[in-house]
Amino acid sequence: MYNLPPRLEASLNGSQFANLFTFQAAARHLSFSKAADELCLTASAVSHRIARLEAELSIPLFRRLTRRVELTEAGERIFAILQQTLGDLSEVLAQPLDADLAGPLTLYAHPSIAQSWLVPRLAEFGLRFPGVRLDLRTGNDRIDFRSRQIDLALYYGNGEFPGLVAHPLMPERVAPVCSPQYAERHGLSGAIEQLQTCTLLHDSLAWDHAAFDSEWGLWIRQQGAGLPLPKRGVTFDRSDLCVTAAIHHAGVAIGREHLVGEALEQGRLVLPFGGFSRSGEYAYYLVHPRLDALPRRVSACIAWLRECAAQTPAS
């Protein structure tokens, strides 16, 4: 836990608490105008409140640049304290004082893993944690925990999440998949060179900073085939849409085992070139901000998700 600077600790009063709340909003957005919108104030009023706070405390909190503001070192320390303190207060107010494991929990996940793996397990979550109000949000962006009220995120990536805590959830394996009809039409069974006659289906947002054909390029390199990728392709921003297109005979997709297992079992997809291989360094991770102590419902959710992952018959 951060220690308050002695002069700040000695000079806090009621007015400064109000101004600290204004500072917290501005620091979270790194914008006086966005903080003004949130607090129903003018940007000038926000600027004056923060300037008054800085003058009374004799601590510069922001560096004012031409088109933006950034926190000073002291501002970063004080912002971290406020985030922790307000988070603790919100948790107390969000549930009865005698609650054991209850309250809101917002989980953010990429759409493909949410639809194919997470959502089918939520009935069990409700039975296990009846007092937790789960709010599941989906999207492809790497979210900003400072400006979004998200407790936990489920990402597919290489484990590098600067400034955040990442818990490995489960590895992933990949292989090309297509419909049985498409495989037969193009003579794909065991003939990787026949990919040149196919339409490739690409997930352009497979992981952070991925090129549109990164997954295919990684798989080709793993095979040591040295084949150029076919130029004919269709690009999506979700892996599950690639899989849906493959089921409907649109081409060949890179299938992640956790996402395509059911379609393979049902015969809607086949593996024309054999089984799955590890997805390089990429896997699924549970990610959250660094906190002195996680709310119990968040740590319980992490433990439950890892339990589910351990029971998943893949990789």
Side-chain angles (χ1 to χ4, degrees), residues 79-96:
F79 175 64
I81 295 167
L82 288 171
Q83 286 287 85
Q84 178 72 52
T85 303
L86 291 175
D88 291 345
L89 180 59
S90 295
E91 184 174 354
V92 170
L93 297 176
Q95 59 185 357

Side-chain angles (χ1 to χ4, degrees), residues 23-191:
F23 161 72
Q24 187 266 352
R28 181 157 34 84
H29 293 291
L30 288 178
S31 167
F32 289 1
S33 61
K34 290 182 179 179
D37 290 341
E38 178 181 318
L39 300 173
C40 298
L41 298 170
T42 65
S44 176
V46 169
S47 179
H48 286 143
R49 284 189 180 189
I50 292 172
R52 188 181 311 121
L53 182 65
E54 290 175 316
E56 292 177 352
L57 302 179
S58 300
I59 298 174
L61 302 173
F62 286 100
R63 283 185 286 271
R64 277 79 166 172
L65 306 176
T66 303
R67 296 182 179 276
R68 61 189 176 90
V69 294
E70 61 182 32
L71 288 166
T72 63
E73 183 178 352
E76 287 280 7
R77 293 177 59 211
I78 294 171
F79 175 64
I81 295 167
L82 288 171
Q83 286 287 85
Q84 178 72 52
T85 303
L86 291 175
D88 291 345
L89 180 59
S90 295
E91 184 174 354
V92 170
L93 297 176
Q95 59 185 357
L97 292 178
D98 60 350
D100 181 30
L101 183 60
L105 189 154
T106 304
L107 173 61
Y108 180 91
H110 288 177
S112 298
I113 190 67
Q115 176 174 288
S116 301
W117 186 83
L118 178 57
V119 170
R121 290 167 169 76
L122 291 187
E124 181 187 340
F125 181 89
L127 293 173
R128 183 81 67 91
F129 308 109
V132 176
R133 301 190 302 277
L134 182 65
D135 181 2
L136 177 61
R137 306 292 178 90
T138 63
N140 281 314
D141 296 331
R142 181 76 67 86
I143 58 111
D144 182 354
F145 284 93
R146 288 160 51 115
S147 60
R148 297 278 299 276
Q149 299 300 309
I150 304 292
D151 296 298
L152 188 64
L154 171 53
Y155 288 138
Y156 183 62
N158 62 1
E160 296 180 4
F161 304 97
L164 301 171
V165 178
H167 304 267
L169 179 62
M170 56 187 178
E172 185 57 286
R173 302 196 302 173
V174 299
V177 295
C178 63
S179 68
Q181 297 90 327
Y182 195 90
E184 183 177 357
R185 185 188 317 148
H186 290 267
L188 296 183
S189 181

Side-chain angles (χ1 to χ4, degrees), residues 156-227:
Y156 183 62
N158 62 1
E160 296 180 4
F161 304 97
L164 301 171
V165 178
H167 304 267
L169 179 62
M170 56 187 178
E172 185 57 286
R173 302 196 302 173
V174 299
V177 295
C178 63
S179 68
Q181 297 90 327
Y182 195 90
E184 183 177 357
R185 185 188 317 148
H186 290 267
L188 296 183
S189 181
I192 191 172
E193 67 278 1
Q194 287 299 104
L195 272 177
Q196 296 302 310
T197 71
C198 298
T199 297
L200 298 193
L201 307 174
H202 300 282
D203 176 8
S204 64
L205 298 176
W207 51 78
D208 274 2
H209 311 301
F212 79 95
D213 58 357
S214 289
E215 277 195 305
W216 268 108
L218 177 61
W219 185 82
I220 288 288
R221 290 192 298 275
Q222 287 177 334
Q223 307 314 302
L227 295 175

